[in-house]
Amino acid sequence: MKRLLVKSVLAHFRTHPLQAVLAVVGVALGVAVFVGIEGANGSALRAFEISARAIAGRTTHQIIGESAGVPESFYRDLRLKHGVRRSAPVIEGFVSLRSGDGDGDGNGDGKDRQDRFRLLGVDFFAESAFRDQLGKRTGTLFDLTGFMTRSGVVLSAPVATARSIGLGHGIDLVIAGRLKRVEVVGLFEPGNDFERQAAADLLICDIATAQELLGLGDRISRIDLIVPLSEHDRYAEEAGNRNHAASGAAGPEALDAIRAALPAGTKIVRPEQRSAAAEQMTRAFRLNLRALSLLALLCGAFLIYNTMTFSVVQRRPLLGTLRALGATSRELFAIVLTEAAVVGLLGALIGLVSGGALARMLVSRVTQTVNDLYFTVNVREVGVSTEVQVAGIILGIGAALLAALGPAAEALRTEPRSALARAELEARTRQALPTMTVLGVLTVIAGAACLSLPFTGLISSFAGLFMILVGMACLTPAMTVVFMRLLTPAAERLFGSLGRLSARGVVATLSRTGVAIAALMMAIAVTIGVDVMIRSFRGTVDRWLSYSLLADLYVSSPGALTDRFTASPPALSVADVEKLRALPGVGQVTTVRAVVVGSDVGPIRLQAFALNPFAQTAFRLKSGDQTEAWRAYDRGEAVLISEPFSFRHDLDVGSSLILETPAGDRDFRIAGIYYDYATEEGTVMLTQPVYRELWGDFGVTAAGLYLEDSDFDSVKAVTRAARTALGEDRELVIRSNKLLRDQSLRVFDRTFAVTGVLRMLAVLVAFVGILAALTALQLEREREVGVLRALGMTPIEVWALVTSQTGLIGLVAGTLAIPVGLTMAAIMIHVINRRSFGWSLEMTVSPAPLVAAVALSIGAALLAGVYPAYRMSRTSPAEALRAE
Amino acid sequence: MQASSPTFIELRQLCKSFREGDQTHVVLDRAELSIAEGELVVLLGKSGSGKTTLLNLLCGIDLPDSGEVVVDGVNLHQLDERRRTLFRRFRIGFVFQLFNLLPTLTVEENLMLPLELVGRDDRDGRERVLDLLDRVGLADRAGSFPERLSGGEQQRIAIARALAHSPDLVLADEPTGNLDADTGAEVLELLDRMTRQEGKTLVMATHSREVAEIADRVFRIDHGRPVELTSGKTGPPSRR
């Protein structure tokens, strides 16, 4: 590219630094949101993978229980009867380590803090083949006797140093709300960075200590195995070809032998399957967040488009002169695109840095949601992977280039010595209005078609949503013209010429205001859409809770239903339930046993309920005949499945579901589909007597107590009585109906906390966009303002003119955002949510958030207009007119 | 040099300079000038000689480094920004080289704007606007937007706008500078006729000697000072 040519064109940004800064900020914000979300999501998944890998060590296979772990006796049998020496028992659970003011008094002085740690219970003598944390890495400082006999724990030396913990110190663990003191009997040195990261939340203790601390009785979480397989065998195993795998080699034969000995409800998996399962489980959640972050980038792209268009318009006389001097239109096109690429690159680089910071801010919210909804993960290190960084840069530059294509084409069309830049461009914009409107309508139709195709997946749904949004943005200029025509008489009556000037000014500079309004409209529409979606979702969940939580009190173990990877043992026995039933004031008791069992569609959550007819009303059927379904269920002939389960596995009333029971596979008919918002995986309901008969499991996960009097005092009295009856030292959670409902809604609110942050960021991007647009407009209208000032308009009147114009921009954007936002909400509720999670949500719209959104739009526009209005009101007429 | 009518504008020891980097460019250097009410004065000079600066100082959109600008007994230098603006609003009309009509307003609305600013946007005001449009020969273009008009038509509208609110002083900065010779002559004739009909004082900056022919008095800005040349017209000023 010719140096002087480039220099003459690029000098523009040197003289208009604010424009350049705003364009860069637009890209930076968009990229930051994307990188922040991806970084937070990735860190959560990586933390899970690192801890899974570190805990797995050299393990090649694991025997896991599908419901409540593996009986400890099977481990003994495995070693002694079956001679599997390279096996090790493992218990995994979560505890909180309390540290702070040193005295561990928990006196509420505000200095105590609790951090979640993964407690790993192992058998020291079986360990060395699997993991290095004990023995090899602890060196001579390891007190084996203390480990085996005195509730000793081992942790990493860096973690201990950071918390001023030394060998022989007692530390307090909070487990299910109770304080338990253990002794530090060893410190291990992580061998590398990976081990250091994995060790950041790891406490190792003897298996018996873990059983006692976690209250697991005689069960263990899993058995680790080392069964070396050749590449060929591994491939065959992955392909599910067991006969092939078993041909000849020792590894496959050993695995087959172990499989043959497995007790019911257990199976062999490879450790990496856990990470894959974690990734799969959270896919829809992460995809939804990613889509929201891309929406912020889309707003950023509008901002770049706006800046680049304006910079080209401002330079049209220069570009015209350059064309007259012999610069080709291609050269000018290339210069504008290069400019955009530089803006994109700079913005992307700043976005990467700020995205890293945003990731650290968001990770706690993302992790909280993952912990609430999917599995327990503890993120100590937040990082943005190289892939995400590269993607961020590509997205930043790509968005900038895409946004600059239009303006670059504008530069391409510049004719030599073109003079009347503004008027020409505005005339062209007006001419292009019908085409753009038709294009907008076509894009909306294409988006709607994309959404309505029955076989499309989630990504095409988001593509459809994006197309509809872009289409609506294309319609914005035409809608603005219509709006302003309607508003002008009112503005004129209210403010005279000023009102007319400001209303007409919006239309007269449509090439710029159109984009600014579209960007603001998009951001406000996102706010409305997300807000209506969350409110509808929350309303649906609230209604569901109100009819599904019928009992007055619920008794369960802490976190009974939340974690798939560290499933808890049954909280209650049959005897416990009888004790509860016998309590004075207790009318009826319903119970549920929640387990994960194998089926022809993979592992599923099974809930075996013992319900009275009244409790059955807690389940509302979406499909299936109410009477017939419950009759078949009560007889144990059929199961009921939740709505998300039906969606996920494409099962309907009348389909069959094969459950793997200790007594062999059993085929169940699906008699009904019920509404359920507890998990996105979905659940299957089977009547408890049949479950007990088939699985031989008489445990109870949770019990619901129906009291004779449900007033506050009775609930309190029964709670106290239940605690006494079941034993004060039992780790049970007894919650009233109201508490459980409040806690459920709190989890819901936490889940959407990260969405709130994203929504705010989208508005911020739009705010920067409108600031850029208005600043640019001010620069361009300097002469016009000079004329007005020369005609005798005071600075305050100029200020009022600009402010009323920005207010009008906000009003139009806010008003147009209402239908767009509601459309977006409807798509998210009825299409994207259904295709992500399979839930039916009832869309509820109240006027308050819509009014608030319009107010936000006007407020944002007015705020963004403060500086341009100030600048314009301070414009020296002499300076402005000097250009003559 | 002094006109026979009472002094309407007086410049006293007026100095104005601009800084360009490290250098100071003196535009007006102790300039002195008196203009009588109703006079048509033309300021001649090369580009950059200070004509526009002098007009800007006359209407108070720029301030001198030193010296005084007194218009109808009012020392503009002593007024604050707001009072200067209001003085301009009520007492001065402006005609620009590039017309500077507001593109977002129709022709009629462009003319109504100064009237509205002075609070005369009533029926009489509207009648005056229509009368002015009729006098500049563009009554049929009242509802058009400026971009639809030719350069000459735009400047005729600009002249009407400058007179709409009946100011005492009309300032014109190169009013024919952007027009071809024939159109320029038409516009000039119109400006002269209209201001004389309305009895206004007109100060016009130009670099065209032909324009000077209609003036009562002609000044050339020379080394930062207005120097009076022979009048373009024979005989004394007779504008009233």
Side-chain angles (χ1 to χ4, degrees):
Chain A
M1 241 179 252
K2 296 167 184 71
R3 191 177 65 84
L4 281 177
L5 183 65
V6 173
K7 191 182 167 191
S8 65
V9 178
L10 292 191
H12 176 81
F13 280 121
R14 234 186 13 250
T15 50
H16 300 87
L18 187 62
Q19 264 179 282
V21 167
L22 288 175
V24 170
V25 167
V27 183
L29 274 174
V31 171
V33 174
F34 172 78
V35 168
I37 285 292
E38 293 297 312
N41 277 339
S43 298
L45 275 183
R46 207 161 36 252
F48 185 83
E49 197 187 328
I50 284 175
S51 66
R53 268 172 60 197
I55 287 169
R58 286 176 288 278
T59 304
T60 61
H61 292 78
Q62 294 172 332
I63 300 172
I64 59 165
E66 284 177 339
S67 52
V70 179
E72 194 180 7
S73 57
F74 176 65
Y75 171 64
R76 275 195 300 276
D77 287 351
L78 197 67
R79 280 184 86 96
L80 301 176
K81 279 195 198 158
H82 304 284
V84 182
R85 294 286 166 185
R86 301 184 85 182
S87 56
V90 175
I91 286 178
E92 212 182 319
F94 284 87
V95 297
S96 294
L97 173 63
R98 200 168 73 178
S99 54
D101 58 3
D103 56 6
D105 53 10
N107 55 10
D109 57 8
K111 288 178 184 165
D112 281 353
R113 88 167 200 259
Q114 291 187 8
D115 286 315
R116 268 171 89 74
F117 271 72
R118 193 177 289 269
L119 184 73
L120 196 68
V122 296
D123 174 3
F124 175 78
F125 298 106
E127 259 313 273
S128 60
F130 289 83
R131 284 161 282 265
D132 295 331
Q133 285 92 341
L134 297 184
K136 188 175 165 188
R137 296 239 185 268
T138 45
T140 53
L141 293 173
F142 179 47
D143 172 9
L144 179 59
T145 318
F147 185 77
M148 306 278 285
T149 59
R150 294 200 306 270
S151 294
V153 296
V154 175
L155 68 160
S156 95
V159 172
T161 310
R163 287 159 200 275
S164 313
I165 298 171
L167 270 180
H169 284 194
I171 53 174
D172 290 327
L173 301 181
V174 183
I175 303 166
R178 288 163 191 240
L179 208 59
K180 298 202 173 163
R181 181 160 273 245
V182 292
E183 183 187 335
V184 177
V185 294
L187 299 171
F188 64 89
E189 285 293 341
N192 52 36
D193 192 50
F194 169 77
E195 282 185 16
R196 187 183 56 75
Q197 279 192 50
D201 67 341
L202 191 59
L203 287 179
I204 304 173
C205 66
D206 183 57
I207 197 127
T209 310
Q211 278 172 335
E212 189 196 323
L213 288 172
L214 298 171
L216 285 179
D218 59 353
R219 295 185 85 84
I220 55 178
S221 301
R222 60 171 194 267
I223 299 168
D224 283 359
L225 302 170
I226 298 178
V227 184
L229 290 179
S230 66
E231 278 297 309
H232 178 260
D233 288 333
R234 178 173 279 270
Y235 175 77
E237 190 197 9
E238 275 172 23
N241 186 348
R242 293 202 18 219
N243 291 336
H244 193 188
S247 61
E253 276 179 7
L255 277 180
D256 279 348
I258 296 169
R259 271 196 195 97
L262 285 180
T266 61
K267 63 177 179 180
I268 298 181
V269 295
R270 281 184 286 115
E272 55 269 29
Q273 282 176 299
R274 264 165 67 124
S275 300
E279 195 167 343
Q280 182 57 35
M281 247 191 266
T282 54
R283 185 178 162 270
F285 168 68
R286 287 180 291 116
L287 194 62
N288 275 285
L289 286 184
R290 176 179 296 165
L292 275 176
S293 73
L294 288 176
L295 218 51
L297 192 67
L298 190 66
C299 289
F302 267 87
L303 176 54
I304 305 163
Y305 172 76
N306 191 41
T307 309
M308 296 309 296
T309 307
F310 192 73
S311 77
V312 168
V313 173
Q314 275 181 322
R315 283 176 291 178
R316 286 198 65 167
L318 168 73
L319 297 175
T321 307
L322 289 173
R323 291 274 288 113
L325 290 174
T328 66
S329 49
R330 274 167 189 271
E331 279 170 327
L332 299 182
F333 182 78
I335 289 174
V336 174
L337 279 192
T338 311
E339 248 175 38
V342 172
V343 166
L345 180 65
L346 274 177
L349 290 176
I350 297 171
L352 286 190
V353 177
S354 33
L358 185 64
R360 275 184 286 281
M361 200 182 102
L362 291 177
V363 78
S364 58
R365 294 165 195 265
V366 169
T367 310
Q368 182 67 59
T369 302
V370 171
N371 284 341
D372 284 339
L373 302 184
Y374 305 102
F375 46 80
T376 310
V377 63
N378 213 351
V379 183
R380 290 283 153 83
E381 306 244 341
V382 182
V384 177
S385 69
T386 316
E387 290 88 342
V388 170
Q389 291 187 1
V390 171
I393 289 181
I394 291 174
L395 276 176
I397 297 176
L401 283 178
L402 205 66
L405 270 181
E410 188 63 38
L412 189 74
R413 284 201 298 265
T414 307
E415 284 164 19
R417 298 180 62 79
S418 175
L420 286 169
R422 233 282 292 289
E424 213 174 278
L425 182 83
E426 292 306 337
R428 203 171 281 174
T429 305
R430 274 195 291 277
Q431 278 165 14
L433 212 54
T435 317
M436 193 187 260
T437 307
V438 170
L439 204 70
V441 171
L442 290 178
T443 314
V444 170
I445 291 172
C450 211
L451 288 169
S452 57
L453 291 176
F455 49 82
T456 49
L458 204 48
I459 289 174
S460 63
S461 308
F462 277 118
L465 174 64
F466 272 54
M467 280 163 88
I468 286 182
L469 285 181
V470 170
M472 300 269 204
C474 288
L475 293 176
T476 303
M479 296 301 288
T480 303
V481 172
V482 173
F483 242 89
M484 283 304 157
R485 284 217 178 114
L486 295 174
L487 278 176
T488 306
E492 196 175 346
R493 262 198 299 282
L494 280 173
F495 306 108
S497 281
L498 268 184
R500 191 169 52 223
L501 263 177
S502 63
R504 293 253 183 88
V506 174
V507 177
T509 49
L510 198 62
S511 64
R512 244 88 59 248
T513 50
V515 180
I517 292 172
L520 186 62
M521 182 277 287
M522 290 266 280
I524 301 296
V526 170
T527 305
I528 293 175
V530 172
D531 200 62
V532 169
M533 185 268 284
I534 295 177
R535 277 169 194 266
S536 303
F537 204 156
R538 200 179 193 279
T540 307
V541 170
D542 198 12
R543 277 189 296 279
W544 170 70
L545 286 171
S546 68
Y547 69 70
S548 66
L549 295 180
L550 292 177
D552 299 301
L553 273 179
Y554 291 88
V555 184
S556 65
S557 61
L561 298 168
T562 54
D563 200 327
R564 277 193 65 160
F565 296 118
T566 51
S568 332
L572 303 165
S573 63
V574 174
D576 290 331
V577 175
E578 288 316 311
K579 280 182 201 166
L580 290 172
R581 217 186 290 278
L583 288 175
V586 173
Q588 295 200 30
V589 177
T590 58
T591 60
V592 62
R593 175 71 178 123
V595 289
V596 176
V597 301
S599 76
D600 59 341
V601 294
I604 59 162
R605 285 177 189 269
L606 182 73
Q607 297 191 331
F609 277 99
L611 299 170
N612 56 44
F614 174 63
Q616 287 183 350
T617 60
F619 298 89
R620 298 210 174 153
L621 293 193
K622 184 190 172 199
S623 332
D625 178 77
Q626 188 86 14
T627 322
E628 195 281 324
W630 282 112
R631 196 180 297 134
Y633 169 85
D634 285 336
R635 285 203 298 262
E637 297 163 357
V639 290
L640 305 179
I641 60 173
S642 73
E643 188 186 22
F645 187 88
S646 142
F647 160 77
R648 195 166 279 258
H649 302 290
D650 196 20
L651 292 171
D652 216 332
V653 172
S655 311
S656 85
L657 180 69
I658 298 169
L659 300 181
E660 296 167 7
T661 80
D665 289 355
R666 284 289 297 268
D667 196 342
F668 289 92
R669 182 167 58 85
I670 294 168
I673 298 170
Y674 59 94
Y675 292 108
D676 179 89
Y677 302 89
T679 71
E680 65 167 85
E681 284 173 84
T683 45
V684 174
M685 264 174 77
L686 176 66
T687 185
Q688 208 174 67
V690 174
Y691 169 78
R692 286 183 170 175
E693 185 191 323
L694 291 172
W695 272 267
D697 173 10
F698 286 77
V700 168
T701 305
L705 275 54
Y706 292 75
L707 307 189
E708 282 155 3
D709 286 313
S710 55
D711 57 275
F712 179 76
D713 289 337
S714 308
V715 169
K716 212 168 151 188
V718 175
T719 306
R720 238 189 340 260
R723 281 217 182 280
T724 313
L726 297 172
E728 291 289 348
D729 57 338
R730 291 277 291 277
E731 286 158 6
L732 292 170
V733 181
I734 305 178
R735 285 176 286 200
S736 69
N737 180 309
K738 183 179 180 310
L739 183 64
L740 186 55
R741 185 175 160 157
D742 289 349
Q743 284 179 344
S744 304
L745 285 176
R746 215 163 27 242
V747 168
F748 178 89
D749 292 339
R750 276 205 299 253
T751 305
F752 283 100
V754 67
T755 317
V757 174
L758 288 182
R759 190 174 46 169
M760 197 187 72
L761 285 169
V763 174
L764 188 65
V765 174
F767 175 75
V768 173
I770 201 152
L771 180 63
L774 293 176
T775 309
L777 218 55
Q778 175 262 328
L779 281 169
E780 191 188 1
R781 292 179 60 197
E782 213 156 18
R783 171 187 293 273
E784 198 178 315
V785 170
V787 173
L788 289 171
R789 293 277 288 114
L791 289 177
M793 203 177 255
T794 61
I796 292 204
E797 284 167 328
V798 171
W799 183 86
L801 173 70
V802 179
T803 305
S804 62
Q805 200 166 70
T806 55
L808 278 175
I809 286 177
L811 177 66
V812 174
T815 313
L816 289 178
I818 291 178
V820 179
L822 291 179
T823 308
M824 189 177 164
I827 293 170
M828 286 196 290
I829 289 170
H830 298 306
V831 183
I832 289 175
N833 158 68
R834 287 199 64 79
R835 287 181 186 172
S836 300
F837 311 107
W839 284 312
S840 293
L841 304 180
E842 193 183 318
M843 184 163 159
T844 40
V845 185
S846 55
L850 303 183
V851 173
V854 176
L856 174 71
S857 177
I858 296 174
L862 286 178
L863 199 61
V866 167
Y867 175 68
Y870 171 78
R871 275 278 304 267
M872 278 171 107
S873 66
R874 303 293 296 176
T875 296
S876 153
E879 282 295 326
L881 296 168
R882 186 156 289 145
E884 282 195 47
Chain B
M1 180 167 164
Q2 180 68 52
S4 55
S5 311
T7 302
F8 184 62
I9 297 171
E10 196 162 5
L11 308 186
R12 297 175 190 149
Q13 292 287 305
L14 205 59
C15 293
K16 182 71 184 176
S17 55
F18 295 100
R19 287 190 68 82
E20 273 182 28
D22 295 337
Q23 291 194 326
T24 303
H25 178 56
V26 177
V27 182
L28 294 174
D29 183 17
R30 285 167 288 160
E32 298 264 348
L33 179 66
S34 290
I35 299 173
E37 194 175 357
E39 257 192 310
L40 193 164
V41 170
V42 165
L43 301 171
L44 282 176
K46 300 177 292 188
S47 292
S49 61
K51 304 183 297 293
T52 301
T53 303
L54 191 58
L55 291 188
N56 287 345
L57 291 170
L58 276 175
C59 68
I61 62 175
D62 211 350
L63 288 174
D65 299 335
S66 64
E68 291 177 341
V69 178
V70 180
V71 179
D72 200 18
V74 178
N75 190 338
L76 294 187
H77 195 35
Q78 287 175 348
L79 300 180
D80 60 19
E81 165 68 32
R82 182 178 153 72
R83 282 169 193 275
R84 271 204 315 279
T85 303
L86 292 180
F87 182 84
R88 194 159 61 237
R89 175 185 291 192
F90 284 93
R91 310 286 302 270
I92 297 174
F94 227 116
V95 181
F96 304 92
Q97 179 180 352
L98 289 179
F99 331 132
N100 285 337
L101 298 174
L102 296 174
T104 51
L105 299 183
T106 62
V107 163
E108 186 186 336
E109 288 164 348
N110 261 284
L111 263 62
M112 281 302 290
L113 182 63
L115 283 167
E116 194 180 276
L117 287 174
V118 298
R120 283 172 49 200
D121 53 333
D122 48 14
R123 183 190 292 266
D124 289 348
R126 195 174 137 69
E127 275 174 13
R128 171 156 175 80
V129 163
L130 295 177
D131 174 52
L132 280 168
L133 281 176
D134 189 42
R135 282 159 65 193
V136 298
L138 290 169
D140 57 333
R141 307 304 296 272
S144 301
F145 281 92
E147 64 182 24
R148 302 275 168 205
L149 272 52
S150 71
E153 288 173 328
Q154 287 195 45
Q155 196 61 306
R156 279 148 70 185
I157 298 298
I159 290 167
R161 179 178 69 180
L163 291 166
H165 56 305
S166 308
D168 302 312
L169 172 63
V170 176
L171 302 173
D173 191 2
E174 301 276 13
T176 58
N178 223 34
L179 302 172
D180 62 69
D182 289 345
T183 313
E186 280 174 29
V187 163
L188 210 57
E189 189 276 323
L190 182 74
L191 187 61
D192 181 33
R193 178 160 47 85
M194 300 265 295
T195 50
R196 282 182 197 281
Q197 280 173 358
E198 301 253 335
K200 310 300 177 196
T201 306
L202 172 65
V203 181
M204 181 162 34
T206 180
H207 59 266
S208 157
R209 279 196 161 270
E210 291 75 41
V211 176
E213 285 180 13
I214 60 162
D216 295 328
R217 289 196 295 156
V218 179
F219 291 84
R220 193 184 72 223
I221 311 265
D222 200 7
H223 294 96
R225 290 180 196 175
V227 178
E228 186 166 3
L229 305 176
T230 313
S231 170
K233 294 181 80 151
T234 51
S238 54
R239 287 172 62 81
R240 273 172 295 161

